[in-house]
Amino acid sequence: MNFTNNNKIVIFISITIILDTAGFGIIFPVLPDLLEKLLNANIAVAAKYGGVLTLVYALMQFVFAPILGTVSDYFGRRPVLLLSLLGFSFDCFLMAFANSYSMLILGRVIAGITGATFAVSCATIADITNDSDRTKYYGFINAAFGAGFIVGPLIGGLIGEYNMYYPFLFSGILGLCNTVYGYFFFPETNQTRQKGRFRFLDTISPVSQLKRIVEFRKIAVFLISYLLVSASSHSMENTWAYFTIDKFDWGKQQIGASLTIIGVIGFVVQIYLVSFLAKQMSDFKLIVFGLILSALGFFMMSFADKTIYLWIGMGLYLMGSIQQTGFQSLLSKTVHRNNQGKMQGMLGSINGLTTIFAPFVFTYSFYLFTKESAVIHFSGIAFSLAGVLILVSLLLLIINNNKKLSDCVFK
């Protein structure tokens, strides 16, 4: 099928990702207050139970992302994407009207099961692009992902000042509006859907999950490398605020402003730098270059004793995020079009897996090296560990570089 309206589809996908990620970001500022109220507890207890909500969502993503990806290969991207948007909206409304912690858990379970928006969006991009321009378009949707996290917390903080439930309602309505828009204007892009009878029980069985892993064995090194990189990103997400407070005595306003700046820089990198470099180098070189920059950024941040060095390190890290787009583009090219959902689902499952263990590893490492009884006080430990993960990922790819990517394509 020759798509003459690719730009319209990309625009819709970008808007979908912005709204979806903004919807998540909107609830961040008010979730602690909601948990304190429902649990009748202090902020420390609320943080602990908030972590459980994150864990539940990550577990559901880990299990169901590859399943929904496979489903989209059989039945199309459109129904799965619309279902995902509905699941997100239902979760928001459930949290808005929740009168118990168990209702929040239920909402996270539903959102995790149906939360295939990003994976299906990536599969959609693979459906409508060729190998030469796919990297650029993946940069666009990654930029949209970052834009959502810039806008979301700002809106959530403003609305939440009036009522802690308003951000949840606003996010739910936003999701429903996008679902309606997608129903009327988002066409099915998967024109090479898999043939044959779809067996749901076989898809979700542990045996089938193991077979799926074996099927991807030809690119195991790339997937392991991607896992290490995905895990390393959680060091930034989960320890930035703690690190800047301990190291530079930053306040809430400085932390909030820094996150906005980081989001803006990341957006510019994905929109402009990726588009430029995609014309200059292959996906593999894009990944290697990005990993080198990321490792340098992490180590510079971890040892920074002045804010100028911290921001230089952050700049290198953000420029290194081009490796994420390189991974998405390269891995999408290792499967046929009728298996794009399966591939993107696998990547979503990897992201879910790292969300389960990585935040705990980095935050606990920070605790061990900053507590009063610590033998060595090193608040940058999480960034150093992340840098090591990046170097291991880079080493794996370099060692494996003697194997041509064309040898990894599924037949």
Side-chain angles (χ1 to χ4, degrees):
M1 178 178 181
N2 182 25
F3 288 89
T4 59
N5 60 340
N6 280 9
N7 287 338
K8 293 181 180 179
I9 294 174
V10 172
I11 289 172
F12 168 75
I13 289 296
S14 298
I15 293 174
T16 296
I17 293 175
I18 289 174
L19 294 180
D20 200 26
T21 53
F24 279 106
I26 284 171
I27 67 177
F28 287 159
V30 295
L31 184 58
D33 289 341
L34 177 62
L35 288 170
E36 283 185 278
K37 179 180 179 181
L38 292 181
L39 298 170
N40 193 25
N42 60 28
I43 190 64
V45 175
K48 180 176 71 173
Y49 281 89
V52 174
L53 292 178
T54 301
L55 178 61
V56 168
Y57 181 83
L59 283 170
M60 294 299 101
Q61 279 276 285
F62 172 65
V63 174
F64 285 94
I67 294 174
L68 290 183
T70 303
V71 169
S72 76
D73 286 336
Y74 276 89
F75 299 105
R77 317 298 183 208
R78 187 172 183 271
V80 177
L81 184 59
L82 295 179
L83 176 65
S84 298
L85 291 171
L86 279 177
F88 168 73
S89 295
F90 184 79
D91 170 50
C92 291
F93 290 132
L94 198 61
M95 296 181 81
F97 295 102
N99 55 17
S100 68
Y101 182 70
S102 58
M103 289 183 66
L104 298 184
I105 291 288
L106 176 61
R108 292 284 79 190
V109 169
I110 295 172
I113 292 175
T114 61
T117 306
F118 193 75
V120 176
S121 295
C122 289
T124 301
I125 294 299
D127 290 338
I128 66 173
T129 58
N130 52 42
D131 289 354
S132 62
D133 60 2
R134 189 171 301 167
T135 306
K136 177 182 69 176
Y137 282 114
Y138 274 138
F140 289 165
I141 64 172
N142 283 329
F145 187 83
F149 276 110
I150 297 171
V151 176
L154 293 175
I155 296 177
L158 293 174
I159 300 177
E161 287 294 327
Y162 296 96
N163 187 297
M164 74 169 69
Y165 295 106
Y166 286 175
F168 298 103
L169 293 173
F170 184 80
S171 297
I173 294 172
L174 212 60
L176 285 180
C177 290
N178 203 33
T179 304
V180 173
Y181 181 83
Y183 181 82
F184 288 105
F185 296 103
F186 177 60
E188 177 56 59
T189 61
N190 184 6
Q191 303 301 316
T192 57
R193 291 191 285 275
Q194 291 190 16
K195 308 298 181 182
R197 184 180 177 184
F198 178 77
R199 293 178 171 83
F200 179 74
L201 292 180
D202 289 343
T203 302
I204 66 174
S205 71
V207 175
S208 294
Q209 298 281 23
L210 290 175
K211 287 182 179 178
R212 185 176 293 112
I213 295 174
V214 172
E215 184 178 358
F216 284 96
R217 68 187 182 280
K218 293 183 179 180
I219 54 170
V221 171
F222 292 99
L223 293 176
I224 294 172
S225 179
Y226 179 81
L227 182 146
L228 294 174
V229 173
S230 177
S232 70
S233 67
H234 290 286
S235 66
M236 168 59 202
E237 298 170 4
N238 291 275
T239 65
W240 175 257
Y242 303 112
F243 171 78
T244 52
I245 291 172
D246 183 80
K247 188 76 173 182
F248 300 104
D249 196 28
W250 281 10
K252 292 180 180 179
Q253 290 185 343
Q254 288 172 294
I255 295 172
S258 70
L259 291 174
T260 301
I261 294 171
I262 289 169
V264 171
I265 296 174
F267 177 84
V268 172
V269 166
Q270 292 297 328
I271 286 290
Y272 296 106
L273 186 59
V274 168
S275 295
F276 173 75
L277 292 179
K279 300 175 183 178
Q280 312 298 323
M281 58 181 67
S282 65
D283 290 332
F284 184 82
K285 290 181 179 178
L286 198 68
I287 293 171
V288 171
F289 184 47
L291 290 178
I292 293 172
L293 291 176
S294 295
L296 289 174
F298 272 130
F299 286 122
M300 180 166 283
M301 285 191 292
S302 66
F303 293 101
D305 56 357
K306 294 181 180 179
T307 55
I308 183 63
Y309 299 134
L310 176 66
W311 280 110
I312 293 174
M314 175 54 68
L316 291 171
Y317 165 73
L318 291 172
M319 287 191 291
S321 66
I322 58 176
Q323 46 79 16
Q324 177 186 2
T325 308
F327 268 117
Q328 290 171 323
S329 180
L330 182 145
L331 290 172
S332 73
K333 295 171 186 175
T334 64
V335 297
H336 296 304
R337 287 188 178 273
N338 61 352
N339 278 321
Q340 287 298 327
K342 186 183 294 184
M343 167 57 73
Q344 298 302 330
M346 175 63 73
L347 297 183
S349 183
I350 290 174
N351 288 329
L353 177 62
T354 60
T355 305
I356 294 172
F357 70 85
F360 171 78
V361 171
F362 289 122
T363 53
Y364 194 70
S365 298
F366 179 87
Y367 161 74
L368 289 178
F369 280 81
T370 57
K371 63 181 182 178
E372 293 184 0
S373 59
V375 177
I376 300 175
H377 187 96
F378 183 35
S379 54
I381 180 63
F383 296 147
S384 287
L385 289 176
V388 171
L389 291 179
I390 293 291
L391 290 179
V392 173
S393 174
L394 179 62
L395 182 62
L396 286 174
L397 291 180
I398 292 175
I399 293 175
N400 191 64
N401 192 34
N402 59 348
K403 186 176 184 180
K404 294 181 179 180
L405 182 61
S406 59
D407 295 336
C408 299
V409 176
F410 295 141
K411 304 300 182 183

